[in-house]
Amino acid sequence: MLRSVTAWLVLAGIAILVALALLVLNGLTEPFDAAVIGFVRQPALDAPLAPLATITQLGSTVAVTALAVIVLVVLALRGNPRWGLASAATIGVASLLNAGFKRWIERARPDVLDPLVVEHGFSFPSGHSMLGATAWGIVAVVIARSDMPVAAKRAGVGVCIALVALIGLSRVYLGVHYPSDVLAGWTAGAVIVLLYAAATRQLARPRLAVSAAPAERGAPAADEDRAARRSDPPARR
């Protein structure tokens, strides 16, 4: 059941991503993009949203690369080197896919308002949003599968989700991406994390398999011993 739900979510995500790309290519997202940008960049929100200029760096190439290395090292030290390699490789693949998407769509950066920072390259999908969703999504999966207390797991996963949302919002606030770019980045990142979670489900449980092995090996012997005791003839009186 769980695998079928994951498959449907992945297919839905791919469909949304393709639909967004087609809408962008045909210029159909412009009213939505302009409305959201106008709302986010209104003067009343300048002070509350100012910290986003710093938070946005958590989705940068440097930050997600460092995060990939940290996850790799932590999982290796925890006895899951293959899971760590899979996590780092997934972030690397997400970066390559983002570059491919940008080359395919070739959308120019927003010109609705003056950007607060200067970015080069194409706009769709947002690289910070996509890589941030992938990297912090992987961290959320690792936390959820850890042996931490339930409350700590929920808090950790919640922080990761909040960071993904704020990174995406920061790209609109800074004027370097359209909201549709961010939506596409989030969607692509979510699809990648779903596939990653499904592919690494078994890699996350090597210790369980090892600990179960002795019990499985001892089970037949115990069964034979019980059978032998039942088959012993009754003692003579």
Side-chain angles (χ1 to χ4, degrees):
M1 178 64 180
L2 183 60
R3 292 181 180 179
S4 63
V5 171
T6 299
W8 280 111
L9 289 174
V10 168
L11 290 175
I14 293 174
I16 292 172
L17 187 58
V18 172
L20 283 170
L22 293 175
L23 290 172
V24 167
L25 287 171
N26 290 280
L28 299 177
T29 63
E30 292 178 1
F32 166 75
D33 288 330
V36 174
I37 290 174
F39 175 80
V40 171
R41 289 290 296 273
Q42 58 182 307
L45 294 179
D46 280 346
L49 298 183
L52 293 178
T54 300
I55 294 174
T56 194
Q57 298 302 322
L58 295 176
S60 66
T61 301
V62 173
V64 298
T65 300
L67 202 57
V69 173
I70 292 171
V71 172
L72 171 60
V73 172
V74 169
L75 290 178
L77 292 176
R78 295 282 293 175
N80 290 275
R82 290 192 299 166
W83 187 14
L85 287 171
S87 303
T90 300
I91 295 173
V93 169
S95 180
L96 294 175
L97 288 175
N98 181 260
F101 284 143
K102 287 179 181 290
R103 288 288 181 182
W104 174 40
I105 303 300
E106 295 187 346
R107 189 185 199 183
R109 296 279 177 174
D111 57 2
V112 179
L113 295 172
D114 292 333
L116 301 181
V117 297
V118 177
E119 293 282 5
H120 303 286
F122 297 118
S123 185
F124 182 95
S126 166
H128 279 63
S129 300
M130 181 173 171
L131 295 181
T134 301
W136 291 106
I138 286 174
V139 172
V141 172
V142 173
I143 291 173
R145 290 175 175 173
S146 71
D147 53 3
M148 297 167 58
V150 174
K153 288 184 183 181
R154 291 175 178 172
V157 172
V159 168
C160 291
I161 294 173
L163 286 177
V164 171
L166 291 174
I167 290 169
L169 178 61
S170 73
R171 307 313 285 169
V172 178
Y173 169 72
L174 294 173
V176 293
H177 278 292
Y178 294 101
S180 51
D181 298 336
V182 172
L183 290 177
W186 282 339
T187 303
V191 168
I192 292 171
V193 171
L194 285 170
L195 292 173
Y196 159 84
T200 59
R201 188 172 289 113
Q202 295 305 317
L203 293 178
R205 302 188 179 93
R207 293 178 182 271
L208 294 180
V210 172
S211 62
E216 293 173 356
R217 288 196 298 268
D223 291 342
E224 291 175 2
D225 184 59
R226 286 194 295 269
R229 286 199 299 269
R230 285 197 301 267
S231 62
D232 287 344
R236 294 180 179 178
R237 296 182 180 179

